[in-house]
Amino acid sequence: MATALSAALLQEIIMHLGLGLPVRDPARLPDWARRAETAGFHTLALLDRLAYDNPEPLVALAVLAGATTRIRLQTEVLLGPLRATALLAKQVATLDRMSGGRFVLGIGVGGREDDHAVAGTPITRRGRLLDEQLPALRQIWRGEPYAGSTVGPLPVTPDGPPILIGAFAPAALSRVARFADGFICAAPLQWAGHLVDTVREQWQAAGRAGSPRLVCQVNVAIGAPETVQRARRAVADYYAFTGRPGWGAPVSDPGQLVELVAAYREFGADELVLYCYGDDPAQVDDLAALLL
């Protein structure tokens, strides 16, 4: 796909690059954050699970907000139905204020039964819970009463921070046009076209101005062989529930990664988040040297 446009023209298409942070050693994340900001990456992203050995993303991103000054902070994606709406609104508004408006709420329903079982939320109702939650968050962030009370603080960003929906199913994709500012597409590039087309068609049908922000993601591992091997093991562990060996395997060949980034730029992504499962922060510098 990347060969369809000249290299010069591809460079003129603006696409931000973000970093998805590894989750195995939270104490190292401030080092990642400072390196990423210095290198010029646009966003730091953290995944969300409950029944898994990962840091809680809102808490972790609050720490990273204090370690940085410019880079954006994003959940990718927060599992909204696992959390009480008023408390989530308060946590997000607090992070938005304390980061100076740098937070982006990527949110979705989550598809793993163990997360919902631990939280005590029925997985069969997760979509309806999110449909109720999303407008309620905006209501709270506008300072309007919720369940008879106001919940502060108000966020820095009027009407609350940007919301991105991560989704695959048709019903879930429809939430982008109804409630959000954009779409997080976690599908591989060869499968992403139909999802993005659906989101854009629904956006236009809803009479929304402009177009939804499109954030894509790809797993990567660049650096020493041991770093790449650790990343591959971490990805295999994370996706073991799929029963598909090799699912989500990180791109580790530098030339292939350069071509893939160009392909996402041509695809029309506004941002590509490079997810790092290996915990060596030297990858930040390697990726920056290769891609920025």
Side-chain angles (χ1 to χ4, degrees):
M1 181 181 292
T3 58
L5 296 177
S6 70
L9 182 57
L10 280 174
Q11 291 301 317
E12 294 177 3
I13 300 174
I14 297 174
M15 182 182 73
H16 295 295
L17 290 177
L19 283 180
L21 299 174
V23 299
R24 289 296 190 183
D25 189 357
R28 304 188 79 175
L29 294 185
D31 186 15
W32 279 77
R34 287 186 287 264
R35 288 181 184 230
E37 183 168 80
T38 299
F41 286 97
H42 185 257
T43 301
L44 295 170
L46 267 175
L47 58 81
D48 184 28
R49 291 285 312 283
L50 187 53
Y52 194 71
D53 184 12
N54 64 292
E56 199 289 320
L58 295 175
V59 173
L61 290 174
V63 174
L64 301 188
T68 57
T69 59
R70 300 182 306 278
I71 198 165
R72 297 184 71 80
L73 311 160
Q74 186 165 293
T75 48
E76 198 165 313
V77 294
L78 190 85
L79 308 183
L82 304 188
R83 293 165 170 83
T85 299
L87 180 57
L88 175 58
K90 190 179 192 76
Q91 291 171 320
V92 168
T94 300
L95 179 51
D96 183 66
R97 286 186 72 101
M98 296 187 73
S99 67
R102 290 186 282 143
F103 180 62
V104 177
L105 177 60
I107 194 167
V109 296
R112 305 196 193 195
E113 293 186 4
D114 52 355
D115 288 328
H116 291 273
V118 170
T121 56
I123 193 168
T124 56
R125 294 194 63 240
R126 66 193 191 278
R128 281 171 286 177
L129 289 172
L130 188 59
D131 285 341
E132 296 168 0
Q133 190 172 58
L134 289 167
L137 291 174
R138 292 293 193 199
Q139 174 185 337
I140 293 169
W141 293 334
R142 289 192 296 267
E144 300 172 4
Y146 177 77
S149 300
T150 55
V151 178
L154 292 177
V156 169
T157 308
D159 204 34
I163 292 178
L164 307 176
I165 301 288
F168 295 94
L173 293 173
S174 70
R175 294 188 184 99
V176 178
R178 289 188 287 144
F179 301 120
D181 303 288
F183 174 46
I184 294 178
C185 183
L189 188 56
Q190 62 267 31
W191 299 343
H194 174 68
L195 300 177
V196 173
D197 288 345
T198 298
V199 167
R200 288 172 174 162
E201 290 166 2
Q202 292 174 344
W203 186 275
Q204 293 178 352
R208 298 285 301 271
S211 59
R213 179 170 178 79
L214 174 59
V215 176
C216 297
Q217 63 184 57
V218 61
N219 296 337
V220 303
I222 296 293
E226 56 270 24
T227 297
V228 174
Q229 287 302 318
R230 286 198 302 270
R232 288 175 177 165
R233 287 194 296 268
V235 170
D237 174 65
Y238 188 76
Y239 288 105
F241 81 103
T242 67
R244 301 178 180 181
W247 184 260
V251 178
S252 58
D253 178 80
Q256 182 183 358
L257 181 56
V258 169
E259 292 181 357
L260 188 58
V261 169
Y264 273 102
R265 184 179 288 113
E266 184 179 351
F267 180 65
D270 295 295
E271 182 162 16
L272 178 63
V273 176
L274 309 169
Y275 258 91
C276 302
Y277 282 77
D279 59 4
D280 183 1
Q283 289 177 97
V284 177
D285 305 311
D286 292 338
L287 288 166
L290 185 66
L291 300 171
L292 294 179

